[in-house]
Amino acid sequence: MTSNLLDVAAELGSEEEDEDFDDEAGETRGKPNGTNGAIDDSSEEEDDDDDEEAAREVREGFIVEGDDDDEDEDAARERRRERRKRRRAEREADEENLDEEDLDLIGAGTRPAEPKFKRLKRGHRDNEASAEPRGVDDIFSDDEVDALDGPERRPAGRSRVADDYEFADFIEDDEFPDEEADRLRDDLEVARPAAKGFAGVNGLSSQGLDEAAVEDMRAAFGDGTEYDWALELQDQMDEEQQDPDKPLELKDVFEPSQLAEKMLTDEDNEIRNTDVPERFQIARQPFTKQELSEEEAAARMKEEALWISNMMLPKKRFERDMIEPFQKSVGKILEFMNVEDYEVPFIFQHRKDYLIHAVKVATEPDPSNPNAPEYEMRAEKLLNQGDLWEIFELDLKFRALVEKREALARAYENLKSVHGIQDDVFEDMLPNAVTMEELQDVQDYLHFQYAAELKEVNVAEAEQNGTQKRAVAAKTLYEKIRSSKVYNLVRAFGITAEDFAQNALQTGRRRYTEDAGERPDDMADSLLEPPEYSTGAQVLRAARAMFAEELTLSPRVRKLMRQTYYTQGLFDCFRTEKGLRKIDEDHPYYEFKYLRGQDFTAMARRPELYLKMLKAEEEGLIEVKIRLDRFNNFRERLYKEIESDSFSEVADAWNVLRREVLDMALAKLDKIMIKGVKENLKTECENQLAKTCREEYSRKLDQAPYKPRGEILGTAPRVLALSNGHGHAGRDAICWASVEDDGKVKDNGKFVDLRVGNSEKYLPDGRDVASFVELIQRRKPDVIAISGFTVETRKLYKDLQDIIDKHDLRCPEFEGEDGKDKSEKLDVIIVNDEVARLYHTSDRAVADYPKLAPLSRYCVAIAKYVQDPMKEYAALGRDIISIIFDPNQHLVPQDKLLKHLETAMVDYVNLVGVEINDAVADTYTANLLPYVCGLGPRKAQQLLKVINLNGGYVTTREELLGNSSENENMLMAVTAKVWTNCASFLYITYDSTEEHADYLDNTRVHPEDYDLGRKMAADALELDEEDIKAEVDEYGPAAIVRKLVKDDEQEKVNDLILEQYAEQLESSFNQRKRATLETIRAELQQPYEELRRNFVLLSSDEVFTMLTGETKDSLSENMIVPVNVRRIFMDHMEVKLDCGVEGGVSSSEYPEGVGEEYGGKDPRQVYQTGQTVQAKLLFLNRKQLTAQLSLRDDALRRPFRREFDHIPGEWDEAQEGQDKKDAQKAIDDRGGRQQRVVKHPLFRPFNAAQAEEFLGSGVRGDVVIRPSSRGLDHLAITWKVADNVYQHIDVLELDKENEFSVGRTLKIGGKYSYSDLDDLIANHIRAMAKKVDEMMGDERYQDGSKSQTDQWLETYTEANPKRSMYAFCLNPKFPGYFHLCFKAGRDAELCNWGVKIIPNAFELRKNVYPDMRGLKNGFKLLIQGDAQRGGLPRGR
């Protein structure tokens, strides 16, 4: 037993003990015990074989030493493969020659050879038997440590200081060193003899199987050689990996996860190098690229354009005459995307004319203006940028649709060629299937009708391809019925499923049902086929099931049902028993707890409502059911389509049977349709909600930098940002950061007191006011930005405004409209901090500003947000989903949400453009590059890398293609198609002193339109062809535009008549460029003009939500809220809400019998400062962040109830009323009288089981206050200790005003007293929950059961016989207690003591310890004390 465990003395070995190599003798110096005699492993044999083979080849002249380059690689690879085959064959032969005794001997007598040259040495195994276990007296002794040979013998990772700390001799690391762990696993495995070689299928006859059985087995499982190809492939891969000539690759060094994180996998490199926009490549990865002829491609494009148009038209609501232009526009967009590989921003910017339908409308002659134009252009927008993204998504869906359709067509063609099958239903339905559901219907139909034939085709294909295929499985039930006489009864129904469906859909002529000549039961008796169908009832049942299945799997029947559900389906919500208890009127799911009769239109209008319904259903709180409106009428109509018109006893019998079959089919179809309909609607609602988030994100991105006075829009300001954090007086300083317009932090610091004094009251200014004024005058910011985490930020805002007003602080001077210099008072703005909150504690912030405090980094983020919000959002990357764009966005899958948000960023980055040289020099600007049209993370990474290799600066856009007249060795940064996409969105600031600079490179004009821009410039300057040629010959192609700019005559382009240009381009070159010409005219005058809105200041509601965390739904008038009493006066009371809003209670809102107004008690005798009471919110001033509240009993008795607007019939009021009656009756039955109600937000009328169920989905420390069964002077409190562990606490109430009020003194266990429930929860429950968190976060805590913890101790002490160990684990039987399990050495018994959680402390054997460190030290002292008294530790 001992020999199988790790040696306790496993320590670092000395160099003398290492088995090293003697340089002089060239031999290995072995250990005295002769471990060098261990059996060599197979890898060493292979190396020896390789050496011998190499030597033989050298002797025979096959290899010339020192000249490996002449060797043929293929021949070498073949020789290596032959050697591996030979070695494998030799090993197999050796194994076959070994008998069981040999194998047993090998299994018992060998150990894996130990690795050489290890610094971590194991103790000798034969020394372990002599190791004496340590007694309790020796647990804390240093004998063992002293016995070790110096510090190198100490366990890895532990110093002498660590040993002396906290009685650490008793404590060992929970994790074993790597070598010890490996050795332990090796030793604990039982050596088993290798199994003898199996003789294969041919040897089965000796096992009692006859030849037929062996043949069946061979057909099913193969003959043992079917995987030879895989083994050979593996051998080849192994040889390639071991090839010494193979160059070292990244994947040979790094883990795949690391390569994927850094985008360095082979797939990433392929995306990086392929000349297609990165977003296109990623989106199209699942689809196979198809090679189509021009005619096929044109037909496919036309079909797709029609398909997408039909999908989008219902939302567009165009007039009839706009449908055809819309379809043409969609077709053109698809051509741009799929043929030209143009991304959405390129199409929107440079093919805008194809998104507009322009027509010439004749004008009436005007006698007063004979020169008036004869017509005017009327344009209507067909597609916006959001529509282009939708077309992109629909294109992907169409690709998936086509792939599946073609796969089905291939399967059908195989059936036709092999079995000669001709199916009109399939041939008719497949081309007309326009959704994945309809294609799935066709596929299900095909596999149902021709299951056996398809299996045969698959087997034939497998044999033809040379891949092994299992034997054909047995026939299904329906195949057996179809091939039996029973199917004659199915035919006797008189109508096929296909004919019935056509009747129901009213397509083509009506098909009439024909009755058989005898009753169905009589016919069934004549179609018996024993043993499976021995009775007529069995035949009848089988035929009924078969016909019902045919109806269920008919594509047309499913199409009918799907259409009916979408047009007549109604949604109903039914609460479950769990939902009945858990969903009360304050629950967010209450708005649909009794909701009934919602159609699809209503659900589509409120996508978040439907998604919440599905979420509640997932949680088991409600059931979402779909039913057909007037289902009985629909069913009766179908009865008429399947029944015969004959009048006879036989016809009646058949019609009854047909009705039964139809009911069976409808029941099956209901399940199929409901599942599909719910899933489709869920997908659509997720898309709608994601689009809502995208629109909100677009609104946030659509704001330019804050505009300094006197500057043009888009100029970055100098910002001074301040924040007081949480605003705790005396604790939180006011941090500030001054950020220049280039984004560099010039200065930062802290203020303490910025309050303005009052000269009338002889109050001086705060001590930092003068420093703040000096800072403003020194740094001259354009704006002061503030933000924070609480409502105290509002006070800072007012203090700063007071300082500015008092000291007349102004912004830098600027030139006014009259041409004179002027200045205005400095602005103070409250800034949205959603990005700063994520940034200031992130690793990125620490890396950017390692010396700044978190709050100072917060200020820097606020300042940079003011300078450019888009850059700050782009820097978040995937963390953007942490920002709330819609309160229900958590209902959308993160990947889908992220994809929609990315499209918004792509739109605005390409609207604003990226200065490529700024991106090379500044990482914040570089964060925008992945969103540039045509690029992505990988291509942007490659772009920056190549630019830096080319010198780190770009002079012209052409240089990105590697075209440079000055540098012939310039590398290509982007490929041709990608450059076409991104060129106009990467601009280069124009420098007139740069000889090769092109003014158009600083504009939104695409290089393909540079000639148009130069032509317009020449016409504006009125230059003839000779002048143009002279300028171009002397200064290059950019000369004309340079001259226009140099002469400052850009406004002349406004005189050009662009309509003539556009007509000429369209007639001569078939190019629609009207909108492009307008863009060129605007860019020639003001390149890359800022098109975003002005910087958006937060509204009062947005500031309120940011500083308080409350919305209109979470905090509104008439709600009952807890407030903390701050100051008490006779005529009023000052209170504070949990969110930080300050409130007041006037004397008129005091409770009855309190205050002078009613001659009652002094409120200071009733309430105490710091007390938490319930109050009703009467008025909330969201701008000033103040509130008015009431403490009156009559106001508090009227609970807040959210009103829902339901039309009659949509809300099951009867069920709601019945549930309330049942709940009240249950309360009355339990108590014999009305249960008390406590005015507290955590109170629930629950029993213990209900409280536990309610807290089940909560977090540790959640609390429920509930009535107690011990009487009206008791309350019960249930709190969550851990998952499925809840503690129930009895609270005794003392000093009660009446039997229903809460006592003024609350006692727990006769030991702890509290003034009110909030005091009890904060200082008792929360204090214990904090200690539970501390316990579970400790390194000695084991997250498992006591038995698992004991097993862990056993394993540890087995591996370390002379060590002792202890651990904590939860005691679920006694909530609030933990086990302290320990074992004083391998041979000691397992013990455990109970640790009790008490407020702010731990209790062990009636000793109280404030924290885990004290608890562990106390435990060791108790153990040591017991040992010194001669006793052994015992567990309870």
Side-chain angles (χ1 to χ4, degrees):
M1 177 70 181
T2 306
S3 63
N4 289 331
L5 297 175
L6 280 176
D7 186 7
V8 66
E11 310 291 354
L12 288 174
S14 63
E15 294 183 3
E16 289 79 2
E17 293 177 345
D18 285 343
E19 179 183 321
D20 52 24
F21 188 82
D22 190 333
D23 293 335
E24 295 181 4
E27 296 176 355
T28 301
R29 294 197 297 267
K31 291 186 178 180
N33 63 359
T35 54
N36 282 347
I39 297 176
D40 293 334
D41 60 14
S42 61
S43 62
E44 294 173 351
E45 293 177 1
E46 292 175 7
D47 293 340
D48 294 341
D49 290 345
D50 291 342
D51 294 340
E52 293 174 5
E53 183 75 17
R56 184 169 60 254
E57 290 176 346
V58 170
R59 287 194 302 269
E60 295 175 0
F62 288 100
I63 301 177
V64 181
E65 293 184 42
D67 192 12
D68 294 339
D69 295 339
D70 297 334
E71 182 184 42
D72 182 78
E73 293 184 1
D74 294 336
R77 186 179 298 109
E78 185 63 29
R79 285 194 296 273
R80 286 195 297 269
R81 184 180 298 111
E82 290 298 327
R83 286 200 299 272
R84 287 189 64 86
K85 286 183 178 180
R86 186 174 66 251
R87 286 196 296 270
R88 187 169 69 242
E90 291 172 356
R91 285 198 301 269
E92 292 174 354
D94 291 342
E95 289 177 2
E96 291 179 359
N97 293 330
L98 290 175
D99 59 18
E100 292 186 4
E101 293 180 359
D102 294 331
L103 294 171
D104 289 340
L105 181 61
I106 293 173
T110 62
R111 292 200 314 270
E114 294 186 8
K116 300 180 181 179
F117 309 115
K118 286 191 178 178
R119 295 291 302 145
L120 181 61
K121 305 297 292 181
R122 299 181 178 84
H124 301 301
R125 297 172 61 87
D126 54 357
N127 292 338
E128 184 175 314
S130 63
E132 297 179 2
R134 302 171 67 187
V136 175
D137 295 335
D138 299 327
I139 289 178
F140 299 102
S141 71
D142 294 330
D143 295 343
E144 180 182 332
V145 177
D146 295 338
L148 301 178
D149 297 334
E152 70 275 10
R153 302 288 292 179
R154 194 179 306 279
R158 293 186 51 132
S159 65
R160 181 76 190 189
V161 176
D163 286 344
D164 292 338
Y165 171 73
E166 198 178 301
F167 303 95
D169 285 332
F170 187 82
I171 306 172
E172 272 299 309
D173 290 339
D174 291 352
E175 296 181 1
F176 305 147
D178 292 341
E179 279 86 2
E180 285 191 22
D182 294 340
R183 180 66 174 272
L184 177 62
R185 281 194 298 270
D186 293 342
D187 290 346
L188 291 180
E189 287 180 357
V190 179
R192 288 178 295 185
K196 287 188 176 182
F198 185 59
V201 177
N202 294 327
L204 285 173
S205 58
S206 62
Q207 306 296 325
L209 297 179
D210 57 17
E211 184 177 351
V214 170
E215 190 65 30
D216 290 342
M217 182 167 291
R218 182 180 291 110
F221 301 105
D223 58 3
T225 62
E226 61 272 12
Y227 294 112
D228 281 355
W229 62 273
L231 295 174
E232 292 178 3
L233 185 61
Q234 181 64 43
D235 287 345
Q236 183 179 350
M237 292 174 61
D238 291 344
E239 290 170 8
E240 291 176 355
Q241 291 176 358
Q242 296 173 6
D243 187 356
D245 299 330
K246 180 183 177 183
L248 190 66
E249 299 180 6
L250 287 174
K251 61 184 178 182
D252 300 325
V253 181
F254 297 100
E255 292 291 332
S257 58
Q258 293 176 300
L259 294 177
E261 181 182 357
K262 299 295 184 182
M263 296 181 294
L264 293 173
T265 65
D266 293 340
E267 293 78 7
D268 294 319
N269 291 329
E270 184 179 355
I271 293 173
R272 197 177 279 113
N273 297 325
T274 302
D275 189 18
V276 175
E278 183 168 328
R279 273 174 288 274
F280 278 6
Q281 292 188 60
I282 294 173
R284 296 169 180 172
Q285 272 180 343
F287 309 111
T288 305
K289 186 175 181 181
Q290 298 179 342
E291 300 295 334
L292 302 175
S293 64
E294 291 187 8
E295 294 79 8
E296 291 173 335
R300 177 70 56 80
M301 193 77 69
K302 184 177 180 181
E303 179 193 5
E304 183 177 359
L306 182 61
W307 184 83
I308 292 178
S309 300
N310 292 336
M311 291 289 182
M312 298 180 67
L313 275 171
K315 306 175 198 174
K316 284 297 185 178
R317 299 179 181 176
F318 283 133
E319 297 293 336
R320 186 176 296 274
D321 59 341
M322 296 297 295
I323 293 178
E324 185 178 353
F326 178 78
Q327 292 174 344
K328 289 182 178 179
S329 178
V330 170
K332 200 66 181 176
I333 301 305
L334 289 172
E335 181 183 336
F336 293 147
M337 287 183 178
N338 294 328
V339 179
E340 305 292 344
D341 285 325
Y342 293 154
E343 266 209 278
V344 167
F346 179 92
I347 298 171
F348 186 74
Q349 179 65 35
H350 302 297
R351 299 294 184 266
K352 196 171 292 185
D353 294 87
Y354 296 94
L355 313 180
I356 301 169
H357 178 58
V359 293
K360 292 182 179 180
V361 179
T363 58
E364 296 182 1
D366 185 0
S368 61
N369 185 12
N371 296 325
E374 299 179 358
Y375 61 88
E376 63 179 4
M377 297 297 296
R378 289 186 182 175
E380 185 166 354
K381 199 170 189 178
L382 298 173
L383 297 165
N384 56 35
Q385 201 160 4
D387 294 331
L388 297 183
W389 287 112
E390 186 175 358
I391 291 174
F392 176 60
E393 288 298 319
L394 289 173
D395 172 62
L396 299 178
K397 290 183 179 180
F398 185 78
R399 287 170 183 259
L401 187 79
V402 168
E403 280 198 1
K404 185 163 187 174
R405 187 177 67 190
E406 292 183 346
L408 286 174
R410 286 194 299 271
Y412 180 67
E413 288 300 322
N414 289 336
L415 286 176
K416 287 178 66 176
S417 61
V418 175
H419 295 281
I421 289 173
Q422 186 82 22
D423 193 300
D424 295 337
V425 175
F426 182 90
E427 293 180 359
D428 184 32
M429 296 300 296
L430 184 66
N432 295 318
V434 296
T435 64
M436 291 300 288
E437 291 83 2
E438 292 180 359
L439 275 181
Q440 187 62 46
D441 294 343
V442 175
Q443 178 176 320
D444 292 345
Y445 168 80
L446 190 68
H447 283 268
F448 172 70
Q449 290 292 125
Y450 309 107
E453 292 84 349
L454 284 171
K455 290 174 186 175
E456 292 179 10
V457 169
N458 292 336
V459 170
E461 286 185 351
E463 293 176 352
Q464 184 177 357
N465 296 333
T467 58
Q468 181 66 26
K469 195 73 177 176
R470 286 181 178 268
V472 179
K475 290 184 178 181
T476 65
L477 171 65
Y478 297 111
E479 288 179 282
K480 291 179 180 178
I481 294 174
R482 191 179 288 114
S483 60
S484 68
K485 292 191 294 183
V486 176
Y487 199 69
N488 292 327
L489 185 59
V490 177
R491 295 190 183 95
F493 274 87
I495 190 172
T496 64
E498 174 67 12
D499 291 341
F500 163 73
Q502 291 192 7
N503 286 345
L505 288 169
Q506 298 180 352
T507 57
R509 61 179 183 80
R510 178 177 174 79
R511 283 80 171 171
Y512 293 95
T513 305
E514 298 180 359
D515 292 321
E518 55 184 330
R519 290 172 57 88
D521 47 356
D522 294 336
M523 182 178 288
D525 291 336
S526 65
L527 297 173
L528 301 182
E529 199 171 275
E532 294 187 4
Y533 308 108
S534 303
T535 66
Q538 290 178 333
V539 172
L540 200 59
R541 185 164 58 249
R544 193 164 51 227
M546 183 69 187
F547 192 41
E549 193 69 12
E550 289 184 347
L551 289 172
T552 303
L553 289 165
S554 167
R556 281 197 171 90
V557 173
R558 288 191 177 187
K559 183 176 182 179
L560 167 69
M561 292 297 296
R562 192 173 287 112
Q563 290 176 354
T564 306
Y565 265 95
Y566 279 119
T567 56
Q568 301 179 25
L570 296 177
F571 290 82
D572 295 328
C573 289
F574 295 92
R575 90 290 179 279
T576 62
E577 288 299 318
K578 181 180 178 181
L580 174 63
R581 295 189 303 270
K582 197 161 186 177
I583 304 178
D584 56 16
E585 293 188 1
D586 295 327
H587 199 283
Y589 294 162
Y590 192 79
E591 63 177 322
F592 51 78
K593 184 177 181 180
Y594 301 102
L595 195 63
R596 304 284 192 269
Q598 299 293 296
D599 59 16
F600 279 83
T601 304
M603 291 289 97
R605 280 198 302 265
R606 295 189 60 191
E608 76 286 349
L609 178 66
Y610 179 69
L611 293 176
K612 283 194 285 187
M613 288 163 55
L614 294 183
K615 182 69 174 174
E617 185 177 42
E618 183 182 332
E619 295 172 7
L621 301 177
I622 68 165
E623 290 183 45
V624 180
K625 296 184 178 181
I626 307 178
R627 58 181 170 87
L628 288 178
D629 192 20
R630 297 184 294 275
F631 173 72
N632 290 334
N633 294 341
F634 172 72
R635 185 172 57 183
E636 287 294 331
R637 184 172 72 82
L638 294 184
Y639 284 162
K640 294 179 180 178
E641 304 298 343
I642 200 172
E643 290 176 341
S644 69
D645 298 333
S646 304
F647 296 96
S648 67
E649 181 182 352
V650 172
D652 292 343
W654 278 104
N655 284 337
V656 169
L657 185 60
R658 292 179 186 119
R659 286 188 172 220
E660 291 177 3
V661 170
L662 184 57
D663 288 340
M664 290 173 60
L666 288 177
K668 290 184 176 183
L669 287 167
D670 278 343
K671 295 178 182 179
I672 297 171
M673 294 300 113
I674 288 172
K675 181 180 178 181
V677 163
K678 287 174 71 173
E679 195 60 36
N680 288 343
L681 184 58
K682 177 185 178 183
T683 302
E684 182 61 28
C685 288
E686 287 175 349
N687 290 337
Q688 290 300 322
L689 191 53
K691 287 179 182 178
T692 301
C693 295
R694 179 187 186 277
E695 291 170 1
E696 177 62 19
Y697 190 29
S698 297
R699 189 185 68 81
K700 292 176 182 290
L701 294 173
D702 189 16
Q703 49 179 334
Y706 179 88
K707 178 179 175 297
R709 290 183 176 87
E711 301 290 345
I712 63 172
L713 188 64
T715 304
R718 295 189 296 272
V719 184
L720 176 64
L722 299 94
S723 176
N724 58 355
H726 292 282
H728 297 302
R731 281 196 297 170
D732 293 338
I734 302 171
C735 291
W736 59 270
S738 176
V739 181
E740 292 296 300
D741 53 3
D742 59 0
K744 294 181 179 178
V745 180
K746 287 296 184 183
D747 208 354
N748 69 92
K750 294 181 180 180
F751 296 129
V752 176
D753 188 358
L754 290 177
R755 288 175 295 181
V756 176
N758 189 329
S759 57
E760 296 179 358
K761 297 182 180 180
Y762 302 101
L763 295 176
D765 287 346
R767 67 181 187 180
D768 293 316
V769 171
S771 299
F772 175 76
V773 173
E774 185 274 333
L775 176 65
I776 296 295
Q777 294 170 347
R778 175 163 50 91
R779 288 298 178 195
K780 294 182 172 53
D782 295 307
V783 63
I784 296 176
I786 69 168
S787 199
F789 309 137
T790 67
V791 296
E792 298 299 319
T793 302
R794 178 77 187 180
K795 296 179 182 178
L796 176 61
Y797 174 77
K798 190 174 186 311
D799 288 342
L800 294 179
Q801 284 190 321
D802 292 341
I803 295 173
I804 289 172
D805 291 339
K806 182 176 180 178
H807 296 273
D808 194 28
L809 300 178
R810 295 179 173 270
C811 67
E813 289 187 347
F814 61 93
E815 183 178 335
E817 295 180 358
D818 55 0
K820 296 181 180 180
D821 290 341
K822 56 185 294 189
S823 66
E824 297 178 358
K825 279 192 176 181
L826 196 58
D827 279 342
V828 182
I829 60 175
I830 298 178
V831 181
N832 187 340
D833 72 339
E834 59 189 8
V835 177
R837 291 195 187 205
L838 294 173
Y839 172 79
H840 77 290
T841 56
S842 67
D843 294 338
R844 182 165 57 91
V846 174
D848 291 345
Y849 306 102
K851 296 183 179 180
L852 295 187
L855 193 58
S856 297
R857 294 196 288 263
Y858 175 85
C859 293
V860 173
I862 291 296
K864 288 192 172 184
Y865 185 90
V866 174
Q867 291 179 336
D868 194 341
M870 185 176 71
K871 285 186 179 180
E872 293 302 296
Y873 285 117
L876 288 178
R878 289 186 64 90
D879 290 339
I880 189 65
I881 58 177
S882 300
I883 293 177
I884 303 300
F885 301 101
D886 186 277
N888 299 297
Q889 72 182 50
H890 64 279
L891 300 170
V892 181
Q894 287 191 357
D895 288 341
K896 180 177 289 188
L897 178 63
L898 192 64
K899 185 168 65 174
H900 279 79
L901 296 179
E902 183 185 8
T903 62
M905 177 62 76
V906 170
D907 288 347
Y908 278 92
V909 166
N910 290 282
L911 175 71
V912 176
V914 179
E915 215 292 353
I916 185 60
N917 291 307
D918 287 349
V920 173
D922 176 39
T923 55
Y924 261 82
T925 306
N927 289 329
L928 302 176
L929 284 178
Y931 304 101
V932 170
C933 180
L935 301 182
R938 299 160 188 81
K939 290 186 181 293
Q941 191 183 68
Q942 179 76 1
L943 173 68
L944 293 176
K945 177 182 176 181
V946 174
I947 290 175
N948 283 311
L949 291 174
N950 287 337
Y953 191 83
V954 180
T955 306
T956 66
R957 285 170 171 165
E958 286 283 336
E959 289 183 2
L960 297 177
L961 282 172
N963 300 333
S964 173
S965 58
E966 297 182 344
N967 184 1
E968 295 181 357
N969 298 322
M970 182 168 286
L971 301 174
M972 178 186 290
V974 291
T975 50
K977 280 186 179 180
V978 175
W979 182 83
T980 301
N981 275 278
C982 72
S984 63
F985 306 107
L986 300 175
Y987 65 91
I988 301 159
T989 303
Y990 176 66
D991 182 2
S992 59
T993 63
E994 174 65 43
E995 178 183 357
H996 299 286
D998 192 331
Y999 179 84
L1000 293 177
D1001 284 341
N1002 189 34
T1003 67
R1004 290 185 174 89
V1005 180
H1006 195 277
E1008 69 178 10
D1009 296 321
Y1010 277 8
D1011 289 342
L1012 290 177
R1014 292 161 183 164
K1015 168 69 173 167
M1016 290 172 64
D1019 290 348
L1021 292 172
E1022 299 180 353
L1023 299 177
D1024 56 25
E1025 292 185 2
E1026 293 181 358
D1027 295 334
I1028 295 172
K1029 186 176 186 306
E1031 287 285 339
V1032 171
D1033 290 344
E1034 184 172 358
Y1035 301 110
I1040 305 301
V1041 179
R1042 289 171 66 99
K1043 178 176 176 59
L1044 180 74
V1045 176
K1046 182 179 179 181
D1047 296 344
D1048 196 18
E1049 295 183 341
Q1050 294 98 313
E1051 291 187 358
K1052 285 188 175 182
V1053 296
N1054 290 327
D1055 299 331
L1056 300 176
I1057 303 175
L1058 299 184
E1059 194 60 45
Q1060 295 179 357
Y1061 281 88
E1063 290 178 356
Q1064 183 178 358
L1065 287 171
E1066 188 166 5
S1067 60
S1068 302
F1069 304 101
N1070 196 27
Q1071 295 180 352
R1072 296 167 62 177
K1073 293 282 187 179
R1074 181 67 177 82
T1076 302
L1077 294 172
E1078 288 289 352
T1079 299
I1080 295 173
R1081 174 154 62 185
E1083 292 295 316
L1084 286 173
Q1085 297 177 76
Q1086 187 171 349
Y1088 258 103
E1089 178 185 5
E1090 180 62 72
L1091 300 179
R1092 291 174 292 179
R1093 297 179 300 161
N1094 285 334
F1095 187 81
V1096 180
L1097 300 180
L1098 296 178
S1099 65
S1100 298
D1101 286 344
E1102 289 171 332
V1103 171
F1104 179 85
T1105 298
M1106 184 182 77
L1107 298 181
T1108 66
E1110 303 284 358
T1111 64
K1112 289 185 177 180
D1113 291 331
S1114 64
L1115 186 66
S1116 60
E1117 281 84 358
N1118 295 321
M1119 282 186 173
I1120 298 175
V1121 295
V1123 297
N1124 186 266
V1125 178
R1126 309 306 293 268
R1127 301 173 68 188
I1128 306 171
F1129 303 93
M1130 285 297 295
D1131 60 341
H1132 75 283
M1133 185 188 301
E1134 295 178 3
V1135 298
K1136 195 170 188 177
L1137 280 68
D1138 287 344
C1139 62
V1141 172
E1142 295 182 346
V1145 180
S1146 63
S1147 59
S1148 61
E1149 298 300 330
Y1150 283 166
E1152 186 177 350
V1154 179
E1156 306 184 300
E1157 191 169 333
Y1158 301 103
K1161 294 180 181 179
D1162 187 331
R1164 285 167 289 197
Q1165 297 177 353
V1166 179
Y1167 300 102
Q1168 298 176 358
T1169 301
Q1171 181 182 0
T1172 300
V1173 298
Q1174 298 295 309
K1176 187 154 194 171
L1177 185 60
L1178 301 179
F1179 175 71
L1180 182 62
N1181 188 329
R1182 295 179 179 271
K1183 185 175 183 180
Q1184 299 297 327
L1185 281 79
T1186 59
Q1188 292 295 319
L1189 303 106
S1190 174
L1191 298 175
R1192 293 170 60 88
D1193 291 336
D1194 57 343
L1196 293 174
R1197 278 195 293 268
R1198 296 192 300 273
F1200 173 79
R1201 181 172 181 178
R1202 201 178 306 278
E1203 296 295 332
F1204 301 107
D1205 186 19
H1206 296 299
I1207 63 176
E1210 284 189 347
W1211 192 258
D1212 195 341
E1213 296 177 353
Q1215 184 66 59
E1216 182 184 29
Q1218 185 62 45
D1219 287 347
K1220 289 181 177 180
K1221 287 181 181 179
D1222 293 343
Q1224 187 61 47
K1225 184 176 183 299
I1227 292 174
D1228 295 342
D1229 291 344
R1230 280 200 308 269
R1233 52 188 166 83
Q1234 184 176 4
Q1235 291 268 357
R1236 63 187 297 192
V1237 176
V1238 177
K1239 299 171 183 175
H1240 194 278
L1242 298 178
F1243 179 82
R1244 295 288 187 277
F1246 291 162
N1247 57 27
Q1250 291 172 330
E1252 291 182 3
E1253 183 180 1
F1254 179 81
L1255 294 171
S1257 60
V1259 298
R1260 188 186 308 140
D1262 282 0
V1263 181
V1264 163
I1265 303 170
R1266 56 188 181 84
S1268 173
S1269 59
R1270 297 190 177 186
L1272 294 177
D1273 59 346
H1274 286 260
L1275 281 173
I1277 293 183
T1278 301
W1279 71 283
K1280 185 173 183 177
V1281 180
D1283 289 341
N1284 300 317
V1285 180
Y1286 308 91
Q1287 187 177 33
H1288 304 282
I1289 299 174
D1290 178 59
V1291 181
L1292 176 64
E1293 303 174 74
L1294 303 175
D1295 194 14
K1296 294 168 65 77
E1297 288 187 0
N1298 55 64
E1299 62 178 1
F1300 293 106
S1301 65
V1302 178
R1304 293 189 178 93
T1305 301
L1306 306 175
K1307 279 191 161 296
I1308 296 179
K1311 185 176 180 181
Y1312 304 99
S1313 298
Y1314 302 98
S1315 60
D1316 56 34
L1317 287 170
D1318 291 292
D1319 182 25
L1320 183 150
I1321 290 170
N1323 296 313
H1324 192 94
I1325 306 297
R1326 303 286 188 224
M1328 290 198 297
K1330 185 177 180 181
K1331 288 295 153 187
V1332 173
D1333 289 338
E1334 185 179 350
M1335 170 70 78
M1336 291 185 167
D1338 190 82
E1339 62 180 356
R1340 293 295 169 203
Y1341 179 77
Q1342 290 288 320
D1343 191 11
S1345 65
K1346 181 179 179 299
S1347 61
Q1348 291 173 322
T1349 305
D1350 289 344
Q1351 181 60 44
W1352 183 85
L1353 291 173
E1354 290 277 9
T1355 303
Y1356 184 86
T1357 52
E1358 285 286 349
N1360 301 271
K1362 298 198 296 183
R1363 300 292 186 189
S1364 303
M1365 181 50 66
Y1366 68 95
F1368 299 92
C1369 65
L1370 186 66
N1371 186 346
K1373 293 183 179 179
F1374 297 93
Y1377 282 83
F1378 285 81
H1379 291 294
L1380 198 171
C1381 305
F1382 57 96
K1383 196 169 188 291
R1386 181 184 64 186
D1387 298 328
E1389 65 180 63
L1390 281 167
C1391 302
N1392 82 89
W1393 291 346
V1395 179
K1396 182 180 179 181
I1397 305 296
I1398 60 176
N1400 296 312
F1402 303 98
E1403 185 178 299
L1404 175 66
R1405 297 180 73 178
K1406 298 185 179 179
N1407 297 299
V1408 176
Y1409 304 98
D1411 52 29
M1412 285 299 297
R1413 181 176 178 179
L1415 174 63
K1416 292 188 286 190
N1417 285 338
F1419 160 64
K1420 297 169 197 172
L1421 291 174
L1422 290 173
I1423 286 285
Q1424 198 171 32
D1426 287 350
Q1428 290 172 354
R1429 288 191 294 271
L1432 292 175
R1434 296 288 181 184
R1436 67 176 179 86

